[in-house]
Amino acid sequence: MIYFLSDAHLGSLAIERGWPHQSKLIDLLEQMSKDAEAIYMLGDMFDFWMEYFIHDKRKRQYQPFCQTVRRLVKKGIHVHIFIGNHDLWTFGGLAQLTRAEIHYEPCTIQMHGKSVFLAHGDGLLPDNWETLYPKEVQRKIKRFMQLRKLFHNPFLQFCFRCLPPKWGNKFGYNWAKKSRLKEIANPCPYKGEDKEELVLFAKDQERQGNHRDYYIFGHRHIELDLQIAGGSRVVILGDCFQQWTYAAMDNKGQLTLHNYE
């Protein structure tokens, strides 16, 4: 089996579960390991992850998770971690801790005869997105894309890495907390096939002739399995802190969504 999960947001100050949250995620990974050939984590496994030039003691809280991933890799399971918009600031440290393969960009992989597009999902839009949304929504998207550009700026990343971890973490975790609390207070449900950005992105890819059998995303914290024109399926994984949903692909290339209780 090949498994897909995303958006655990470990360490979030807005998720008042701490170790029980991380323990449940570890239990899920251990259950997957019984028959897994590969596990793909599609971003935001941490609510905030920055690798500083100075040793960061706060990373100790993630040792159980990282050691579990390392153990799965040693067992022969191919573990892949995609960066999200909360944990993109890894510069080799996460790979060293987990021995997982880190992906910094979306990618298309052949799995059991199926073409699968994998990405966290932030920043993915159809080419004609400005014609699809009203001005107010366009402004929100532009603000997010500008912020995303700052987060990915190498010079700004270097400057932030120079901070004492205590200062950087205080800023980063509290920023992430505000985002999480805002989402919990005002959740954004499925917008519909004609408005959901990731669905529109997949449709645009199909129109351009870039066919994939599956488009699998995280990011949106909604569970979706939608078939679009040409037989492609758009799958959004949900999350691993409230919904506890994930996907599994068998050796015939059949993909199903599951809930972990």
Side-chain angles (χ1 to χ4, degrees):
M1 297 288 283
I2 301 175
Y3 292 100
F4 309 87
L5 66 155
S6 72
D7 294 271
H9 290 273
L10 290 175
S12 172
L13 300 180
I15 302 173
E16 298 179 0
R17 281 172 284 179
W19 167 243
H21 176 206
Q22 185 172 179
S23 178
K24 186 172 181 178
L25 178 62
I26 290 171
D27 288 344
L28 173 59
L29 292 174
E30 293 287 6
Q31 178 176 297
M32 291 175 173
S33 73
K34 294 176 182 178
D35 60 0
E37 61 180 276
I39 298 175
Y40 290 83
M41 305 183 196
L42 298 189
D44 283 359
M45 298 307 293
F46 306 92
D47 205 41
F48 178 69
W49 180 279
M50 166 61 74
E51 293 170 7
Y52 303 94
F53 291 116
I54 303 172
H55 177 66
D56 180 12
K57 295 180 181 179
R58 193 160 184 169
K59 294 288 191 299
R60 291 175 183 170
Q61 67 178 310
Y62 304 124
Q63 280 185 354
F65 169 75
C66 292
Q67 288 172 353
T68 298
V69 175
R70 194 182 183 105
R71 189 162 59 250
L72 299 186
V73 172
K74 189 175 181 179
K75 189 177 177 180
I77 299 170
H78 301 286
V79 181
H80 302 254
I81 299 177
F82 285 66
I83 64 166
N85 53 302
H86 281 256
D87 51 13
L88 63 99
W89 301 281
T90 175
F91 309 96
L94 184 59
Q96 185 175 5
L97 285 170
T98 63
R99 296 298 186 226
E101 183 175 348
I102 309 299
H103 297 266
Y104 294 87
E105 299 290 341
C107 64
T108 300
I109 301 176
Q110 298 296 318
M111 302 177 182
H112 297 311
K114 302 293 184 181
S115 176
V116 183
F117 181 89
L118 298 171
H120 179 60
D122 64 306
L124 296 181
L125 294 162
D127 289 344
N128 62 337
W129 69 270
E130 290 182 288
T131 67
L132 301 174
Y133 295 103
K135 294 293 184 182
E136 182 180 352
V137 177
Q138 288 183 37
R139 285 194 291 269
K140 289 181 180 180
I141 292 174
K142 286 178 180 178
R143 284 196 296 269
F144 176 80
M145 296 302 286
Q146 289 168 354
L147 184 62
R148 187 178 186 277
K149 188 175 181 180
L150 291 176
F151 285 170
H152 284 263
N153 183 284
F155 176 71
L156 295 179
Q157 289 177 347
F158 175 84
C159 292
F160 203 98
R161 293 183 74 194
C162 292
L163 291 175
K166 185 177 180 180
W167 296 0
N169 287 338
K170 184 177 181 180
F171 176 81
Y173 280 100
N174 280 289
W175 181 303
K177 179 183 178 181
K178 291 178 182 178
S179 173
R180 199 66 41 243
L181 289 175
K182 182 178 179 182
E183 176 198 350
I184 293 171
N186 298 288
C188 182
Y190 178 51
K191 301 174 185 177
E193 192 172 339
D194 60 337
K195 293 182 180 179
E196 190 67 49
E197 289 92 340
L198 295 175
V199 173
L200 294 173
F201 169 81
K203 287 184 174 183
D204 191 47
Q205 288 292 300
E206 293 297 304
R207 280 194 296 269
Q208 295 179 31
N210 302 319
H211 175 69
R212 285 92 168 194
D213 296 291
Y214 297 110
Y215 294 83
I216 306 179
F217 305 106
H219 185 54
R220 279 285 283 115
H221 300 183
I222 60 172
E223 186 180 0
L224 178 71
D225 185 355
L226 176 71
Q227 185 165 321
I228 60 176
S232 298
R233 283 168 58 189
V234 179
V235 176
I236 302 180
L237 295 171
D239 65 52
C240 284
F241 68 93
Q242 285 184 311
Q243 302 172 59
W244 287 97
T245 47
Y246 65 94
M249 177 184 286
D250 63 22
N251 58 12
K252 296 180 180 179
Q254 296 301 310
L255 189 75
T256 51
L257 285 171
H258 301 266
N259 179 264
Y260 182 61
E261 295 293 345

